[in-house]
Amino acid sequence: NQYVDSYTCTCPLGFSGINCQTNDEDCTETSCMNGGTCIDGINSYICTCKPGFTGSNCQNRINLCDSSPCLNGATCQDHTTHYTCHCPYGYTGKDCGEYVDWCSTNPCENQATCVQNKNQYQCLCGVGWTGKVCDVEMVSCKDAALRKVVPLKKLCNNGTCEDIGNSHRCHCSDGYSGSYCQTEINECDSAPCQNGGTCLDLIGSYSCKCPKGFQGQNCELNVDDCKPNPCQNGGTCHDLVNSFSCSCPSGTLGYICEINVDDCRPGACHNNGTCLDKVGGFECKCPPGFVGPRCEGDINECLSNPCSNAGTLDCVQLVNDYHCNCKLGFMGRHCESKVNFCATSPCQNGGVCTTIHAGHKCTCPEGFYGKNCEFSGYDCDSNPCQNGGVCRISDGGGYICDCPSGTNGTNCEIDTINECDSNPCKHLDAICQDKLGDYACYCPPKHTGKNCEIYDRGFPGGLGRAVVPTLDATSYYAKDLEKQRQQCNQNKCPVKRGNGRCDEECNTYACEFDGNDCSLGINPWANCTASTRCWEVFMDGICNEDCNNPECLFDGRDCEESLQPCNPIYDAYCQKHYANGLCDY
């Protein structure tokens, strides 16, 4: 099926419509002639004719002679409203069904006796007479001429005489009859001229003068007025008498179907198709991408499998077009080309681009990371966190401020708690001032302390400060030194003193600095006993665990964990807004 979300029906003759649901009307005003009634069929019609007419289109008048009403071989003549029978010899009546009563007319001469047999009669002649009606005397031609007192040559009038035995006989010329050829034969008596032709009797012959529309010796031929066919646009011609009639196909009008009715109604063709009028219908010229009798079908260009390359994901049907959806890493009209992801130089900050499947990879220089090396790892170096907030690198890039209680915001710049709400200032006249994560009490005279809770006669009033009790410094430090020396004994520092090894737990003033075992002089690796030559790999950027101890100076801090990369989202934002004259929290 070459249609998208559609279908077409190929209709049998006589039906139309999107689903072939319409039986086409085959009857027109001229389908049935002479008042016949048209009954529509399937790709056809039937005419019910009025009395007196017949034919597929009621075009023929019924010939009254078709039923052979005339009997005994009589000739029938149709006169539209009636018929007449021209009877053969010896018959009479309307239908020539009766015998002529010959003897009643006394046809026999010279006392002959008339005898009738069916349609014939016979004269029984007396002695000396012969002939059909016994009018020929049985003598020679010469004697007969003498007795009739006529010249011998004129005895037989329009014929010649011949002696036969003791009698004679006349041989008549064409067109004459009778015993002596005295009667001219009227060839028109047999009514040879048909279809209303006029008969002209001639000597031994006849001539028919035919009415218009007929021809032939006996006017038996109806002139075919349908040759050549005068009906236009496929009309059917019906020959009449000296005329014709056209049965016009659906969609045409006029005497000879010369008028073609325009069948291109609005909306006949879908999808901007152009309607072309035809006889009894129309034809649609479809724009590119559409097919069907009414351009109702949208051609599915994807059926020809244009997106057949390996890089194709699928084909999308469009109007008179298609689109190939490509797999990652492919491009082009038919996904025939691999994408060079490094062509646009996506790697920033000196990163090196390498094309990989369905994308690219950036090898970033030190201090940068991210898909395109767009992020920097030094976001906390600028100490962005305010009010004592602690900065740390976010796992996704950028930094996060861990804010102290009472503050909030990206950089801990927002005071979230009003410490004065708890009324910390104890004196009724004291004024509390809220601060970030703190508060201050402004005390009246003679009252001081953090909360104005201490009475002091000499205090003039103002900002109250916490009073720290004073201690005897000598007594305090002496007690602390004694406490540290007890710790030295617990760590067995007196025994470790002077063993040539730096014992960190004993390297304090109270423990006499481990007998100066931790003072290494000009050779800082004097106490380094690692198997590795730690001074050669010192601060080389590689962690050597043998050297990661105090004696070997912790391998130059090579084993310390590096800072986590900053959040790329914040880093990219800050790079864009760096030094723009505005403070971005």
Side-chain angles (χ1 to χ4, degrees), residues 122-136:
Q122 182 181 2
C123 291
L124 301 178
C125 301
V127 177
W129 296 93
T130 187
K132 172 71 176 174
V133 292
C134 303
D135 60 342
V136 178

Side-chain angles (χ1 to χ4, degrees), residues 118-406:
K118 295 184 179 180
N119 65 321
Q120 302 286 335
Y121 73 93
Q122 182 181 2
C123 291
L124 301 178
C125 301
V127 177
W129 296 93
T130 187
K132 172 71 176 174
V133 292
C134 303
D135 60 342
V136 178
E137 190 175 3
M138 296 182 67
V139 294
S140 66
C141 293
K142 183 177 179 181
D143 290 342
L146 290 174
R147 292 183 181 187
K148 289 183 176 290
V149 192
V150 295
L152 178 61
K153 292 184 176 179
K154 291 189 176 180
L155 176 63
C156 292
N157 294 296
N158 297 293
T160 58
C161 187
E162 178 187 8
D163 290 327
I164 301 176
N166 62 346
S167 185
H168 65 277
R169 183 177 67 182
C170 288
H171 295 283
C172 298
S173 301
D174 290 340
Y176 293 91
S177 65
S179 297
Y180 289 95
C181 305
Q182 75 277 14
T183 304
E184 180 185 353
I185 298 174
N186 187 352
E187 286 81 7
C188 290
D189 285 346
S190 62
C193 300
Q194 304 175 24
N195 296 307
T198 301
C199 185
L200 177 63
D201 181 42
L202 303 176
I203 298 177
S205 180
Y206 66 92
S207 174
C208 291
K209 183 178 180 182
C210 301
K212 289 183 178 180
F214 293 96
Q215 62 182 2
Q217 183 179 351
N218 297 318
C219 306
E220 74 277 13
L221 301 177
N222 180 8
V223 177
D224 191 353
D225 299 292
C226 288
K227 290 185 178 180
N229 186 2
C231 304
Q232 301 179 19
N233 294 312
T236 301
C237 183
H238 305 289
D239 181 41
L240 305 176
V241 177
N242 194 37
S243 182
F244 65 89
S245 177
C246 293
S247 291
C248 300
S250 178
T252 61
L253 298 172
Y255 184 73
I256 56 174
C257 315
E258 73 277 12
I259 301 173
N260 180 17
V261 178
D262 190 356
D263 300 292
C264 287
R265 62 188 183 278
C269 299
H270 302 316
N271 296 307
N272 296 320
T274 301
C275 184
L276 305 176
D277 182 47
K278 298 291 183 180
V279 177
F282 60 90
E283 181 180 293
C284 290
K285 184 178 181 182
C286 302
F290 293 95
V291 293
R294 299 182 65 183
C295 307
E296 71 276 14
D298 182 4
I299 295 177
N300 187 349
E301 286 82 5
C302 285
L303 287 180
S304 60
N305 199 23
C307 305
S308 57
N309 289 304
T312 301
L313 185 62
D314 56 23
C315 180
V316 178
Q317 159 67 17
L318 304 175
V319 176
N320 194 32
D321 199 2
Y322 62 91
H323 173 71
C324 297
N325 283 332
C326 301
K327 296 178 181 177
L328 290 174
F330 291 89
M331 62 183 295
R333 167 74 168 162
H334 300 101
C335 308
E336 71 278 6
S337 303
K338 282 193 173 182
V339 178
N340 182 4
F341 290 98
C342 289
T344 58
S345 302
C347 300
Q348 306 174 22
N349 300 307
V352 178
C353 183
T354 305
T355 299
I356 60 175
H357 175 69
H360 69 280
K361 179 182 179 181
C362 291
T363 302
C364 304
E366 184 179 0
F368 295 93
Y369 71 100
K371 180 176 177 59
N372 296 316
C373 306
E374 69 272 32
F375 304 131
S376 170
Y378 305 115
D379 290 315
C380 284
D381 292 351
S382 61
N383 296 321
C385 302
Q386 305 174 23
N387 300 307
V390 178
C391 182
R392 59 183 176 87
I393 301 298
S394 173
D395 293 338
Y399 66 91
I400 295 176
C401 288
D402 293 328
C403 300
S405 176

Side-chain angles (χ1 to χ4, degrees), residues 510-523:
C511 298
E512 300 179 358
F513 299 103
D514 196 26
N516 292 325
D517 287 339
C518 294
S519 300
L520 303 180
I522 62 174
N523 183 8

Side-chain angles (χ1 to χ4, degrees), residues 352-492:
V352 178
C353 183
T354 305
T355 299
I356 60 175
H357 175 69
H360 69 280
K361 179 182 179 181
C362 291
T363 302
C364 304
E366 184 179 0
F368 295 93
Y369 71 100
K371 180 176 177 59
N372 296 316
C373 306
E374 69 272 32
F375 304 131
S376 170
Y378 305 115
D379 290 315
C380 284
D381 292 351
S382 61
N383 296 321
C385 302
Q386 305 174 23
N387 300 307
V390 178
C391 182
R392 59 183 176 87
I393 301 298
S394 173
D395 293 338
Y399 66 91
I400 295 176
C401 288
D402 293 328
C403 300
S405 176
T407 63
N408 202 344
T410 302
N411 298 306
C412 308
E413 73 279 13
I414 301 173
D415 182 10
T416 60
I417 299 176
N418 186 351
E419 285 80 5
C420 289
D421 288 344
S422 61
N423 296 317
C425 302
K426 302 303 181 182
H427 199 282
L428 293 177
D429 296 329
I431 299 173
C432 182
Q433 181 183 20
D434 181 43
K435 293 187 175 183
L436 280 171
D438 197 4
Y439 64 93
C441 291
Y442 289 87
C443 305
K446 299 181 181 181
H447 291 274
T448 187
K450 175 70 174 174
N451 299 318
C452 307
E453 77 279 13
I454 300 173
Y455 177 77
D456 184 357
R457 293 187 300 189
F459 186 68
L463 179 62
R465 300 181 185 277
V467 177
V468 179
T470 58
L471 296 175
D472 183 356
T474 303
S475 172
Y476 174 79
Y477 287 115
K479 290 179 180 180
D480 183 63
L481 180 60
E482 182 59 32
K483 185 176 180 180
Q484 292 186 36
R485 284 176 177 172
Q486 291 177 2
Q487 189 66 40
C488 292
N489 292 331
Q490 291 178 3
N491 293 331
K492 299 181 180 181

Side-chain angles (χ1 to χ4, degrees), residues 526-541:
N527 292 329
C528 183
T529 59
S531 59
T532 303
R533 298 168 67 90
C534 295
W535 50 89
E536 294 181 355
V537 295
F538 185 75
M539 294 184 68
D540 63 352

